[in-house]
Structure formats: C-alpha cells, structure tokens
Amino acid sequence: MQTGTILIVDDNKSVLTSLELLLEREFEKIETVSDPNKIFSILDEFIIDLVILDMNFSVGFNTGNEGLFWLQRIHEIRPELPVIMLTAYGDIDLAVKSLKSGAADFVLKPWNNDNLIKKIRTTLQEAKHKLPANSIKGASEPGMIIGHSPAMMKIIKLVTKVAKTDANILIFGENGTGKEVLAREIHRLSLRSQYEMFNIDMGSISETLFESELFGHEKGAFTDAYESRIGKFEAANGSTLFLDEIGNLSLGLQAKLLVALQNREITRLGSNKKIPIDIRLIAATNRNLLEMVKQAHFREDLFYRINTIQIEIPPLRHRKEDIATFAEFFLKKYANLYKRTGLSLHPKTIQKLESHNWPGNIRELQYTIEKAVILAEKDIIKPSDISIHLDNTFSFDRVPNLKEVERKAILAAISQNSGNLTAAAEQLGISRQTLYNKLTRFNF
C-alpha cells in the first residue's frame, strides 16, 4: 500500500463510493467530499497529497468552468498540490483546458481502474520531486464560500470568464448578499491579484471630502491639509478599485467620477498636474440604477461606463440550497472563535433556517449563527437555540401596546438594513441620534 492521502471531490455519491472502494486498497488514506465548498476545510484538517476533482458539479452545467474554478482556488492556497481532473468521455477539449490551467493529469469517465491507479502513482511520485522544501500548507485562505445553487453556478461561470479581463463590472444585490466578497473574489482571480484591492463606500463620503478621498490633495489645498495625500485612485493604480454603494452618489459627484474614468487620469486637489491611472473598476449597489437613470437620478453615461459586465447576486431566499452550506461554515468559524468545539446543527435547525426569508441575507444568517454559538447550552444546536423573526407582522389575537409596536418596528428596521443604523433611522423616518436614544431606552 502506497503512503499518501487522496481527496476525491465529486457531487455524484456513486462515483465517490466507487473510487473510495477502489483506491482504499492501494493508498494509505482516502477522503471524499461531494460539496466543493468543503475542500478548504479538508485541506485545513488533513495533509492531502493529491486531489481527484470533477469538472462539473451542477445538473445542466457541462462547461467544465466549475472544475476549472475550483482547480484555480486549490492552487491559490496549495500551489504545489497535484490535481487530477475527472471529465466525461469525449470532453477532450475540457481535459486539455484543465492541463493548461495547472492540472497534473485527467481521467475520462468511465475510467479504467488500472490506468487510474497508475496515473495517481505517477503523479504522486512526480509531486514528491517537485515539492519545495519550504512549502507551507495553507499559506493563504480562500476568499469566498460560493454555495452550490444553480444561481451561484451561473455566477461562477461568468466570473471565470471575466475575472482575467479588465472589463468594468457592476454588481447588483440586496444588503448582505456578499457584493464586496464577490468583488474580492474577482480581484483574486484577476491578473492584478498581486496587488491589494482598494475599496471605498461611496455612500459614506461627504460632498466636501469626495475629491480628496478619491483623487488626493496637496499640502495646503484646504484647511487641515497639513501634508500631501494620495487618493484611492492613485493607491489602486495597477490594481482593482471597488466602489461600494455607487447609487448613493449625487449627480455632481457622478460627473466628477465620470471624468476620471473617461480620461483615465486624476488631478489632486491643489494641483494642476494630471496623473494617469490604470485601475480595474468594480462597482456595487443595492439600488435599481436603470430606474434611477430613467428618473434622471443617475447619469446614463456613467451607468454605461461602469456597466460593461453586470452581475446580480440573488438574495438568500432565492437560493435556499446554499443556506446549509453557509450555516455550517459560520458554525465552524464561530465555534473556533469562541472555543465551542464539537458543536453541530440539528437537522430541524437547518429546516428552520431554510424556512426563513432572510431580509438581511448572508450577513443576517452569519449574526444568527454567531449568537447561537454563544448562547447554546448543549453541543447540538436545536431550533429553539436559533433566534430569528419569522415575520414582522402582528397578530390581532392580542393588541400590542404602542411601546411594543415601536420596539418591534425598530428591530425590524435594523434587521432589514443588516445592522446599518443610519439606513434603519432613515427607513423609520427619524434621525440617527433619535434612534440611538430609543435603543438606549429599550436596552438594546
């Protein structure tokens, strides 16, 4: 029996079983996983010597983009780890593409047992000679948990096509769907990934600080400008600039942003020198920009400038297949953080999570799991340990008093705005300070 641990990744349980039965007689240890999102937890937990990776994980998707996507992510954290790709008979083009993307070899389904074992032995032997002495397991972390819903598989397919281009990308999605996380994933897969991605929340920039924040300023350009400072455009030169909540910009600020993007140059406040910029722009918003264009609230020319490629992240309620994956990920994360090892989710708890509409999306789910980890008294988290508001309506069986109505309205607004107190106050029609006062009064 040859030493070494092999990880098999395939969503077909019969394929996993067949390969496990075949290889466990030949190799020291076999690990299997049907969900590619769990690859990295396996790589963290075990020393894996070789991965056998399927090219497709969703019914109806036969492009191989998923397999290539996971191949690249594996090599981002374990560049030396050999990967053998599994692909359907006749998909030779896919197999060749996987080799060009860094796969060690490929095997066609249905496979020949002797041929497969020979390829694995040869690949392990070659990897042993190539392995650098100072290689470190898990040198970097994967940036995003994808999920396996059809909607997210379509996004993966699109991302793998556009990530290595310099096309501007506009990401749509509700609060908490993971727009910034997706932007970081695109940057990580891009040709600019050796540089840091810079991000800025456009909704938090005041009119007076906009130019200074984005374009920089010279010493003495305005009161309190005691020294020269570069802006985000200069800082992101050669890299990616992520502009979050771009729909919150006023028309005046939209015009200044458009000029910089069109001319590909900026001028610092207090200077006449034009500075060329080379950035890849990714913008995001939770607003309907096309409707804003029709209402003359967003410039049409800016809209088309930032919208070369459009990606819409669906809300969590429209991809319930991903809820269990995210819940397990957050459970592990917070169990480690709060030293609550051994925690697990009861099957009925998963059902409860999947029945909720999640107005705050992934961010709300994350906070819910974190709270459950902190408060759970036993190792199995039961439905009663999960605190979520299944609906925000009131029953007429008991008429609530006004204080209770106000308290529930505040809770609902904060939940719907994913903890953003400024947005919650705006929705409630009160000032941020008034909201703070009410939070204190209700002992939140």
Side-chain angles (χ1 to χ4, degrees):
M1 180 174 291
Q2 184 170 338
T3 59
T5 301
I6 297 172
L7 171 62
I8 307 169
V9 188
D10 196 306
D11 63 336
N12 188 321
K13 297 293 178 64
S14 63
V15 169
L16 289 180
T17 301
S18 298
L19 285 174
E20 186 175 18
L21 291 173
L22 170 66
L23 299 180
E24 66 183 0
R25 299 192 299 265
E26 304 288 337
F27 300 95
E28 184 179 22
K29 189 173 183 181
I30 307 298
E31 295 291 337
T32 63
V33 64
S34 59
D35 181 357
N37 283 288
K38 296 179 180 178
I39 291 173
F40 306 105
S41 61
I42 297 292
L43 294 182
D44 281 339
E45 188 174 352
F46 303 101
I47 297 177
I48 302 297
D49 298 289
L50 182 140
V51 177
I52 298 176
L53 177 66
D54 192 24
M55 290 291 285
N56 295 290
F57 289 92
S58 299
V59 176
F61 288 86
N62 300 309
T63 64
N65 279 329
E66 294 172 72
L68 296 175
F69 175 85
W70 293 111
L71 171 65
Q72 183 166 358
R73 294 190 72 187
I74 288 170
H75 281 165
E76 284 170 358
I77 63 169
R78 290 281 304 278
E80 79 289 350
L81 183 60
V83 180
I84 293 178
M85 307 299 293
L86 277 178
T87 186
Y89 180 78
D91 287 340
I92 300 298
D93 289 342
L94 278 182
V96 172
K97 194 173 182 181
S98 71
L99 293 177
K100 290 181 179 179
S101 298
D105 209 333
F106 67 89
V107 174
L108 296 178
K109 298 178 182 177
W111 59 84
N112 175 280
N113 289 347
D114 292 336
N115 184 46
L116 173 59
I117 292 171
K118 182 179 178 180
K119 285 193 174 191
I120 294 173
R121 291 189 187 282
T122 301
T123 302
L124 284 172
Q125 189 65 28
E126 290 175 350
K128 188 180 296 184
H129 294 300
K130 291 180 181 178
L131 187 62
N134 62 347
S135 65
I136 300 174
K137 174 182 175 291
S140 61
E141 293 298 322
M144 185 178 185
I145 298 298
I146 300 295
H148 55 270
S149 61
M152 291 309 296
M153 291 301 100
K154 288 182 180 179
I155 288 177
I156 288 175
K157 181 179 178 180
L158 180 57
V159 165
T160 55
K161 283 185 177 180
V162 305
K164 292 191 183 306
T165 73
D166 274 339
N168 292 337
I169 295 177
L170 179 60
I171 304 174
F172 288 98
E174 295 179 5
N175 284 333
T177 49
K179 297 187 291 296
E180 181 179 349
V181 177
L182 181 60
R184 292 193 177 280
E185 190 69 13
I186 293 169
H187 171 70
R188 206 160 61 92
L189 297 173
S190 75
L191 300 177
R192 298 171 180 258
S193 60
Q194 68 269 36
Y195 304 110
E196 177 187 358
M197 183 185 91
F198 287 81
N199 65 297
I200 186 165
D201 183 353
M202 307 302 281
S204 67
I205 303 178
S206 67
E207 297 268 348
T208 54
L209 293 178
F210 177 85
E211 288 186 85
S212 175
E213 282 290 321
L214 266 68
F215 309 139
H217 62 257
E218 296 292 347
K219 181 179 179 180
F222 53 86
T223 304
D224 297 332
Y226 299 118
E227 58 183 6
S228 297
R229 178 175 174 270
I230 69 170
K232 288 294 175 67
F233 268 89
E234 274 188 85
N237 194 45
S239 186
T240 302
L241 181 62
F242 175 59
L243 304 182
D244 198 9
E245 300 306 343
I246 196 169
N248 292 344
L249 280 182
S250 68
L251 287 171
L253 299 185
Q254 291 174 32
K256 294 177 180 179
L257 175 60
L258 177 63
V259 170
L261 295 175
Q262 284 180 333
N263 299 335
R264 304 192 70 81
E265 62 183 19
I266 56 96
T267 303
R268 292 185 191 176
L269 279 176
S271 171
N272 294 319
K273 180 183 177 182
K274 296 186 183 300
I275 302 173
I277 53 165
D278 171 26
I279 64 161
R280 199 272 182 83
L281 181 73
I282 303 178
T285 183
N286 61 4
R287 307 178 71 176
N288 187 332
L289 291 191
L290 192 56
E291 187 61 32
M292 291 178 67
V293 168
K294 292 178 182 178
Q295 296 175 3
H297 294 154
F298 198 89
R299 293 181 64 107
E300 184 176 18
D301 45 8
L302 178 59
F303 175 73
Y304 289 113
R305 171 68 60 175
I306 65 177
N307 191 34
T308 306
I309 301 294
Q310 180 176 310
I311 300 177
E312 183 170 2
I313 306 180
L316 197 54
R317 62 184 174 274
H318 291 165
R319 46 185 176 117
K320 290 183 179 289
E321 308 97 315
D322 296 335
I323 290 176
T325 297
F326 283 112
E328 294 288 353
F329 172 77
F330 293 132
L331 178 69
K332 180 179 179 182
K333 174 181 177 179
Y334 291 113
N336 290 335
L337 179 63
Y338 297 115
K339 311 296 189 235
R340 295 292 309 275
T341 56
L343 285 180
S344 63
L345 295 170
H346 192 280
K348 289 188 177 179
T349 302
I350 296 292
Q351 292 176 11
K352 180 175 181 178
L353 294 173
E354 290 175 341
S355 70
H356 185 48
N357 274 337
W358 300 108
N361 292 293
I362 298 171
R363 191 180 297 127
E364 182 188 356
L365 175 61
Q366 178 179 351
Y367 295 151
T368 299
I369 297 298
E370 181 181 14
K371 183 177 179 181
V373 168
I374 294 172
L375 299 179
E377 296 181 355
K378 297 183 178 180
D379 286 346
I380 298 178
I381 297 180
K382 297 180 178 179
S384 58
D385 296 318
I386 298 293
S387 176
I388 52 179
H389 302 280
L390 292 178
D391 84 45
N392 296 314
T393 60
F394 303 126
S395 169
F396 285 98
D397 294 337
R398 180 183 63 85
V399 178
N401 60 44
L402 290 177
K403 184 176 179 179
E404 184 180 357
V405 171
E406 185 178 23
R407 180 180 178 278
K408 289 190 175 182
I410 291 172
L411 283 173
I414 292 174
S415 173
Q416 289 170 14
N417 290 282
S418 306
N420 186 323
L421 296 185
T422 300
E426 183 178 344
Q427 180 177 334
L428 291 166
I430 59 178
S431 69
R432 184 184 176 95
Q433 186 57 52
T434 299
L435 179 57
Y436 275 135
N437 295 339
K438 291 181 181 294
L439 291 175
T440 301
R441 179 158 60 90
F442 286 120
N443 294 318
F444 286 140

